[in-house]
Amino acid sequence: MKLKNKVALITGGTSGIGLETAKLFRAEGASVIVLGSNAERLAAAGKEIGGDVLLLSADLRKPADIERAIEAARASFGRIDVVFANAGAGKVAPLEAVTPELIDEHFSLNFTGLFLTVQKAVPFMQNGGSVVVTTSFLDTVGMPGLSLLAATKAAVRSLVRTLGAELAPRGIRVNAVSPGAITTPFYGKLGLTDEQLAATAAAIQARVPLQRFGESIEIARSALFLASDDSSYTTGVELVVDGGLTQF
Ligand SMILES: NC(=O)c1ccc[n+]([C@@H]2O[C@H](COP(=O)([O-])OP(=O)(O)OC[C@H]3O[C@@H](n4cnc5c(N)ncnc54)[C@H](OP(=O)(O)O)[C@@H]3O)[C@@H](O)[C@H]2O)c1
């Protein structure tokens, strides 16, 4: 029970990595708060996680939704011990197809939404608290068509260092987990045809030294390490979980 009596707030907990992490945190004793933008997916996630879970509807592109959700979390539990700021999305767009609207769409969720989630939650965190964010192998590797997704993740990687420095005096640690290619619904939302998706997946897999996609549980276990006291002397880092993709 690595998170016994802890309150953990998870964004993007309705699908993929976030959902698997919510289940693991719950199994490790945490009270779990899940934020999601879609009522049906939230309810389904609640059933899958089971037990002690607070489901909060919030579109993280809307600052007022974030504020309302964090206030509801505070009203229910009084404090937050762990924030897993994990929600994210991306669309494939080569340079000539990028519009100001698409830039806003990426940054408002992947950067601003994450930033405001952490900003609003931190006042309710105590000494020993842990902030974990999800970055990506794309903050290290350049892949055509993914400039916006990659840039938002690089910005979040930077944030981990600055907020880590700001929050260290309060005993709150800030770290990132950086997934490689993980089997989740994420890829189906990139705006690719089935054919393009299959080709992209094959091209990525060919670059992975461990020769396979990772599973959400493999990221969830790393998020658990960073969330729990097992990593009590670790702050400001990005824990890379990518089958060697960015290392060899
Ligand atoms: N899968 C990979 O290979 C991979 C690789 C590197 C990094 N990552 C990162 O891992 C994180 C999780 O991705 P995943 O693979 O688990 O993808 P996923 O299955 O598509 O999950 C994305 C989550 O983000 C939430 N979300 C999307 N838009 C939202 C919004 N406007 N407001 C609130 N929540 C929103 C979704 O919830 P609702 O739609 O229900 O609101 C969902 O729970 C992302 O940050 C992603 O960039 C993934």
Side-chain angles (χ1 to χ4, degrees):
M1 286 285 192
K2 290 182 187 290
L3 296 178
K4 197 165 192 295
N5 298 327
K6 302 277 189 189
V7 178
L9 182 139
I10 299 176
T11 70
T14 59
S15 175
I17 291 166
L19 177 57
E20 206 56 40
T21 304
K23 290 194 281 184
L24 183 61
F25 282 13
R26 179 76 203 96
E28 292 289 338
S31 296
V32 170
I33 304 160
V34 166
L35 273 60
S37 69
N38 176 284
E40 262 175 42
R41 283 194 292 278
L42 258 182
K47 277 196 192 123
E48 200 170 329
I49 299 161
D52 195 0
V53 56
L54 176 64
L55 305 169
L56 297 174
S57 184
D59 180 346
L60 299 180
R61 292 194 168 102
K62 298 180 179 160
D65 279 19
I66 297 173
E67 209 155 333
R68 200 175 329 107
I70 301 287
E71 174 50 29
R74 187 209 57 77
S76 291
F77 293 101
R79 65 171 213 284
I80 297 169
D81 301 297
V82 173
V83 174
F84 184 35
N86 160 77
K91 295 254 166 60
V92 171
L95 178 61
E96 63 279 9
V98 170
T99 60
E101 291 73 24
L102 200 59
I103 296 175
D104 279 352
E105 199 183 307
H106 280 77
F107 275 87
S108 64
L109 174 64
N110 296 353
F111 182 77
T112 311
L114 180 146
F115 187 102
L116 294 178
T117 302
V118 175
Q119 185 194 49
K120 300 300 173 199
V122 157
F124 309 117
M125 297 182 78
Q126 297 161 350
N127 194 314
S130 172
V131 175
V132 183
V133 303
T134 307
T135 54
S136 170
F137 67 98
L138 291 170
D139 64 20
T140 307
V141 170
M143 289 192 74
L146 290 170
S147 58
L148 299 182
L149 177 58
T152 60
K153 295 299 185 177
V156 171
R157 171 61 187 102
S158 166
L159 202 58
V160 164
R161 290 200 176 93
T162 309
L163 296 188
E166 281 189 29
L167 297 175
R170 288 187 49 191
I172 298 172
R173 298 177 299 106
V174 184
N175 294 291
V177 60
S178 175
I182 310 299
T183 307
T184 74
F186 188 87
Y187 289 88
K189 304 171 189 172
L190 286 170
L192 298 174
T193 63
D194 287 351
E195 217 171 51
Q196 290 169 326
L197 199 55
T200 304
I204 295 176
Q205 182 155 322
R207 293 172 65 159
V208 180
L210 289 184
Q211 300 182 345
R212 65 172 176 84
F213 268 52
E215 299 301 326
S216 292
I217 186 66
E218 295 177 293
I219 307 302
R221 287 194 204 109
S222 302
L224 174 63
F225 169 70
L226 294 173
S228 75
D229 291 343
D230 280 357
S231 59
S232 53
Y233 200 51
T234 301
T235 191
V237 311
E238 183 178 51
L239 177 52
V240 176
V241 190
D242 68 358
L245 175 59
T246 56
Q247 305 303 311
F248 312 138

